[in-house]
């Protein structure tokens, strides 16, 4: 069995090589002899990755460390077979587009079941059940009375649509994952192998370790850096939290607060450009817009998210009178930068390729990987060798792609059924009717549905489902398509930090050894921006760089001020005047929200009055406290 796993490891590495060669159009050199159609490439690559899921993941968690059972070897083989069939017959499938043969129907059924089982093993039962319900609806929807009734399509047409059509299991979602996402995951693996993780921790320590509340600010910087690469809030907490949470507790932060800071900082990494986990690539592909447009729209909201967290962490440190770590115990900034300056080379190349030369995201990433390898070999301390390169190629599939390929197939089933049956139009109409013309109600319903889906689905899976099912309703209500996608993207964060689900909060709480409920509720307070910004985007489009220069500038300034004072209100403390009264907190919070979200001059005026009233009361109390302290000093 050990020999089987070694072969599987090499197959994983070769799968990554195959992806890279395809994306650089290497096989076009042999177009006189054979042609690889895009759908065929996606199908074969998906099959190769899905096979790894069956070789690595057992049917139950209790059997994770057991040897590979015979039936998993068969499932792995069939995974490759159903993909290879499409690869071999891609030209005929694409050009004829007829009903599938009896053999193709059998293979199609097998592919559906394999992807569903792969999704169950890698991301849990919830997505499998949802996909199964949608597939069942395609078969049985003609028997359902009322608005959900659909025409009878027949087995051949349904299976053909799911297995052999371009908007099925091997459609846009799978294509994005096995091309763009795979290349960026390879980039992330090379960054890991060259020691970027340690550099991020060291540079965060050197920058903010000695300031007020330093360890919590280290967590913010480090988690943002790790999170934007991994895209996994939970994985990010587990990676950086074991370092930052004990440091925060040692400095004097409560265990619940320490866990909450790490949970919120880690969750935000997935919305931080330029990498943003995996969803940004899928979004760019589904919107048919350049990736640079997505990250341009994402940058201001992401920075605002971390700004509000940073303010609350700083004010908590002020309230507890916490100082930073002694400078002598921290890495020297100059030495740290000199030791890792070459990491700036590939990142500079990435931005130049993407924003200056306007290359597509895949080509930019591949050129950046080449720049990273060259700069590491010339200047790096942890030199790349053949073993590290092999590990990067192998782990791109085993640590990154295996966990999301099941999502691609299962979500592809949902997309195929929605496009075949017109269910998206029906659901959009239902939501519009229920909201009774109120855009705010429609947005609230969407956020609630996203939170519920997030209870059992990965962020990327819930995003994909809602984009298909709910985004049309938002667009029908007048929301621009790109902003609707961003609203869904952001509200998908709720399940990581919102009690009672709060998956990232649970992991952080276990590391902090804190009360779970208190940790999650504190995380909700610290992540206040995540509940405001998605709605603010809808009414204040300048936040996502839409509109003229003055409109964007106005939106950014009001959002900074609004969310900044809102953070003061949520923290309950301000350097000027100390602890806030409930009335002052209410003024800061309500005034801040109104100012951040509104473009109405009347509401902005009202919010400004509220904020100024609170500031006046703070200043008055500050003067009183200062006067009393002066009198006490004179008496002494």
């Amino acid at each position: 069995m050990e020999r089987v796993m070694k072969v599987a490891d090499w197959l994983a590495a070769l799968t990554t090589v195959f992806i890279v060669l395809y994306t650089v159009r290497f096989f076009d050199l042999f177009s006189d002899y054979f042609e690889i159609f895009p759908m065929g490439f996606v199908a074969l690559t998906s099959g190769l990755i899905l096979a790894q899921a069956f070789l690595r993941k057992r049917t139950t968690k209790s059997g994770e460390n057991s040897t590979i059972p015979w039936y998993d070897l068969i499932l792995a083989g069939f995974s490759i077979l159903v993909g290879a069939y499409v690869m071999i017959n891609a030209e005929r499938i694409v050009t004829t587009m007829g009903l599938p043969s009896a053999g193709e129907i059998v293979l199609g059924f097998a592919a559906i079941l394999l992807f569903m089982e792969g999704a169950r093993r890698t991301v849990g039962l919830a997505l499998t059940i949802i996909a199964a319900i949608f597939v069942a609806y395609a078969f049985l929807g003609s028997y359902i009375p009322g608005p959900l009734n659909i025409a009878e399509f027949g087995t051949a047409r349904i299976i053909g649509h799911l297995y052999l059509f371009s908007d099925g299991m091997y459609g846009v979602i799978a294509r994005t994952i096995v091309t763009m996402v795979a290349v960026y995951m390879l980039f992330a693996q090379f960054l890991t192998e060259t020691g970027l993780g340690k550099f991020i921790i060291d540079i965060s320590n050197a920058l903010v370790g000695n300031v007020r509340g330093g360890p919590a600010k280290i967590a913010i910087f480090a988690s943002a850096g790790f999170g934007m690469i991994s895209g996994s809030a939970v994985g990010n907490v587990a990676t950086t939290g074991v370092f930052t949470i004990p440091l925060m507790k040692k400095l004097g932060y409560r265990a619940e607060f320490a866990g909450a800071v790490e949970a919120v900082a880690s969750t935000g990494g997935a919305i931080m450009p330029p990498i943003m986990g995996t969803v940004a690539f899928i979004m760019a592909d589904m919107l048919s817009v350049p990736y640079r447009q997505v990250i341009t729209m994402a940058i201001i909201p992401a920075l605002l998210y971390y700004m509000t967290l940073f303010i609350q962490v700083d004010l908590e440190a002020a309230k507890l009178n916490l100082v930073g770590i002694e400078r002598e115990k921290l890495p020297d900034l100059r030495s740290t930068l000199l030791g890792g300056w070459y990491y700036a080379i590939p990142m500079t190349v990435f931005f130049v390729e993407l924003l200056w030369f306007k290359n597509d995201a895949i080509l930019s990433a591949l050129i950046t990987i080449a720049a990273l390898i060259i700069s590491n070999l010339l200047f790096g301390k942890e030199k790349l060798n053949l073993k590290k390169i092999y590990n990067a190629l192998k782990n791109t599939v085993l640590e990154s792609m295996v966990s999301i390929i099941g999502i691609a197939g299962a979500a592809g089933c949902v997309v195929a059924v929605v496009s075949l049956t017109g269910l998206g139009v029906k659901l959009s109409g239902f939501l519009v009717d229920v909201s009774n013309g109120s855009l705010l109600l429609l947005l609230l319903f969407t956020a609630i549905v996203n939170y519920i889906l997030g209870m059992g689905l990965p962020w990327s899976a819930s995003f994909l489902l809602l984009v298909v099912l709910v985004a049309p309703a938002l667009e029908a209500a007048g929301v621009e398509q790109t902003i609707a996608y961003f609203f869904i993207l952001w509200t998908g964060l709720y399940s990581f930090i919102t009690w009672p689900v709060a998956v990232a909060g649970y992991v952080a709480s276990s590391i902090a050894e804190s009360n779970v409920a208190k940790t999650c509720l504190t995380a909700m307070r610290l992540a206040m921006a995540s509940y405001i910004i998605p709605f603010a985007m809808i009414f204040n489009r300048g936040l996502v760089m839409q509109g003229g220069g003055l409109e964007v500038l106005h939106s950014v300034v009001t959002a900074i001020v609004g969310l900044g004072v809102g953070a003061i209100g949520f923290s309950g403390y301000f350097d000027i005047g100390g602890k806030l009264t409930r009335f002052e907190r209410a003024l800061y919070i309500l005034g801040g929200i109104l100012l951040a979200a509104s473009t109405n001059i009347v509401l902005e005026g009202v919010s400004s009055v509220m904020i100024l009233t609170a500031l006046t009361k703070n200043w008055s109390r500050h003067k009183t406290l200062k006067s009393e302290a002066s009198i006490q000093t004179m008496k002494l």
Side-chain angles (χ1 to χ4, degrees):
M1 198 56 66
E2 184 179 345
R3 184 177 297 177
V4 172
M5 295 309 295
K6 284 184 177 180
V7 171
D9 286 349
W10 275 102
L11 184 61
L14 290 173
T15 300
T16 304
V17 172
F18 178 55
I19 291 171
V20 172
L21 292 177
Y22 179 82
T23 54
V24 299
R25 308 180 72 90
F26 173 78
F27 298 109
D28 288 357
L29 298 174
F30 307 96
S31 57
D32 290 341
Y33 306 99
F34 64 88
E35 183 176 2
I36 299 178
F37 282 78
M39 185 178 178
F41 163 76
V42 173
L44 178 59
T45 309
S46 299
L48 290 168
I49 299 170
L50 185 61
Q52 296 288 347
F54 291 115
L55 295 176
R56 311 283 167 173
K57 304 286 185 179
R58 303 284 74 82
T59 54
T60 61
K61 288 186 177 180
S62 60
E64 284 296 316
N65 296 319
S66 63
T67 57
I68 305 174
W70 60 269
Y71 51 82
D72 277 348
L73 290 172
I74 292 176
L75 293 176
F78 267 103
S79 298
I80 298 173
L81 174 64
V82 296
Y85 179 85
V86 176
M87 169 80 167
I88 295 169
N89 296 279
E91 183 175 7
R92 176 183 59 80
I93 292 169
V94 170
T95 54
T96 59
M97 298 291 285
L99 290 176
S101 64
E104 289 172 338
I105 291 174
V106 172
L107 289 175
F109 264 119
I112 294 168
L113 294 175
L114 287 166
F115 271 113
M116 288 189 179
E117 173 60 11
R120 186 193 69 81
R121 294 194 188 192
T122 55
V123 297
L125 190 60
L127 181 58
T128 302
I129 292 174
I130 292 172
I133 290 171
F134 274 82
V135 173
Y137 175 72
F139 283 98
L140 304 174
S142 59
Y143 300 102
I144 300 175
L148 291 178
N149 181 265
I150 58 174
E152 186 173 350
F153 294 104
T155 300
R157 185 175 176 188
I158 294 171
I159 298 301
H161 200 82
L162 268 67
Y163 179 49
L164 300 177
F165 275 48
S166 59
D167 57 355
M169 291 182 294
Y170 303 126
V172 61
I173 298 172
R175 182 180 71 244
T176 303
I177 286 174
V178 300
T179 53
M180 190 181 298
V181 172
V183 169
Y184 276 83
M185 291 301 100
L186 176 62
F187 179 36
Q189 289 297 331
F190 270 113
L191 288 173
T192 301
E193 292 293 336
T194 54
L196 178 68
K198 184 178 183 302
F199 178 72
I200 289 176
I201 293 291
D202 286 346
I203 201 70
S204 301
N205 267 300
L207 283 171
V208 295
N210 68 320
V211 301
R212 188 168 72 180
K217 293 167 184 176
I218 293 170
I220 295 173
F221 278 82
S223 297
F226 274 108
M228 72 175 178
I229 295 171
S230 70
S232 170
V234 176
N236 199 7
V237 171
T239 302
T240 60
V242 292
F243 171 78
T244 58
I245 290 174
L247 267 181
M248 285 187 271
K249 290 174 65 178
K250 184 178 179 181
L251 185 67
Y253 283 110
R254 292 175 294 109
E256 288 80 12
F257 190 87
V261 169
E262 181 57 45
V264 176
S266 293
T267 298
I271 54 170
M272 174 58 74
I275 301 177
M276 299 173 64
T278 59
V279 176
F281 307 122
I282 300 171
M283 183 193 295
D285 214 43
M286 295 183 77
L287 287 169
S288 298
V289 299
Y291 176 65
R292 61 179 173 275
Q293 181 178 333
V294 173
I295 63 173
T296 301
M297 294 176 70
I299 186 64
I300 293 174
L303 291 176
L304 290 171
Y305 175 93
Y306 277 107
M307 180 198 76
T308 59
L309 175 59
F310 194 92
I311 290 172
Q312 292 184 81
V313 162
D314 184 65
L315 292 175
E316 183 75 11
K319 181 167 62 178
L320 299 175
N321 196 27
L322 302 179
V323 296
I325 302 170
E326 295 174 20
R327 171 54 72 183
E328 294 74 23
K329 297 180 179 179
L330 294 170
D332 178 66
L333 179 59
R334 184 173 180 275
S335 300
T336 303
L337 289 172
L338 288 175
W341 66 269
Y342 58 89
Y343 287 116
I345 297 175
M347 297 313 297
T348 301
V349 168
F350 175 75
F351 284 112
V352 169
E353 289 293 329
L354 193 66
L355 303 177
W356 183 266
F357 291 111
K358 301 189 185 305
N359 285 323
D360 64 63
I362 296 176
L363 179 59
S364 298
L366 289 171
I367 294 173
T368 303
I369 291 171
L372 174 64
I373 293 172
I374 293 170
S375 61
N376 173 267
L377 294 176
L378 291 175
F379 311 110
K381 290 183 178 179
E382 298 184 29
K383 299 286 188 185
L384 283 171
N385 52 36
L386 290 177
K387 183 179 180 181
K388 288 185 175 183
I389 293 173
Y390 168 72
N391 286 337
L393 294 170
K394 177 187 70 173
N395 291 333
T396 297
V397 169
L398 300 185
E399 294 185 2
S400 304
M401 304 302 297
V402 163
S403 61
I404 56 176
I405 197 63
I407 296 174
C413 288
V414 174
V415 172
V417 170
V418 169
S419 70
L420 178 66
T421 62
L423 180 61
V425 176
K426 295 176 184 288
L427 182 59
S428 296
F430 172 76
L431 286 174
V432 170
D433 291 341
V434 170
S435 60
N436 197 28
S438 170
L439 176 58
L440 184 59
L441 275 179
L442 180 59
L443 294 171
L444 287 171
F445 288 147
T446 302
I448 291 169
V449 170
N450 209 352
Y451 173 65
I452 293 171
L453 282 177
M455 292 180 180
L457 296 180
W459 183 40
S460 53
S462 61
F463 169 77
L464 289 168
L465 291 179
L466 279 183
V467 159
V468 174
L469 297 173
V470 179
L474 295 176
E475 293 170 41
V479 179
E480 293 180 30
Q481 187 183 37
T482 51
I483 297 177
Y485 277 41
F486 267 98
F487 180 84
I488 293 170
L489 182 76
W490 270 74
T491 54
L493 297 176
Y494 293 169
S495 62
F496 292 113
I497 47 179
T498 305
W499 177 259
V501 181
V503 187
Y506 288 158
V507 178
S509 177
S510 67
I511 297 172
E513 299 178 339
S514 61
N515 179 280
V516 174
K518 289 181 179 179
T519 301
C520 295
L521 292 173
T522 304
M524 290 174 65
R525 170 170 69 82
L526 294 175
M528 46 80 70
S530 69
Y531 302 97
I532 300 170
I533 289 174
F535 293 89
M537 290 177 190
I538 302 295
F539 302 103
N540 196 351
R541 57 200 293 271
L543 289 178
V544 286
M545 304 292 281
Q546 301 295 294
L550 288 177
E551 181 182 351
V552 171
L553 179 63
H554 175 267
S555 298
V556 172
V557 171
T558 54
I560 289 173
V561 176
L563 290 172
V565 298
I568 293 171
F570 276 102
S571 70
Y573 183 89
F574 194 23
D575 283 312
I576 301 174
K579 185 177 180 181
L580 304 179
T581 65
R582 290 183 180 179
F583 179 63
E584 290 165 353
R585 293 186 71 176
L587 287 176
Y588 278 130
I589 292 170
L590 293 176
I593 291 173
L594 284 176
L595 187 60
S598 175
T599 54
N600 184 299
I601 192 169
V602 176
L603 289 177
E604 288 178 3
V606 171
S607 64
S608 298
V609 170
M610 296 170 74
I611 293 167
L612 288 172
T613 301
L615 280 171
T616 302
K617 291 177 70 65
N618 283 164
W619 181 251
S620 176
R621 186 167 61 253
H622 173 69
K623 288 175 67 178
T624 301
L625 291 171
K626 191 174 180 180
S627 177
E628 290 175 354
S630 178
I631 292 171
Q632 286 290 105
T633 303
M634 289 175 66
K635 286 181 178 180
L636 293 173

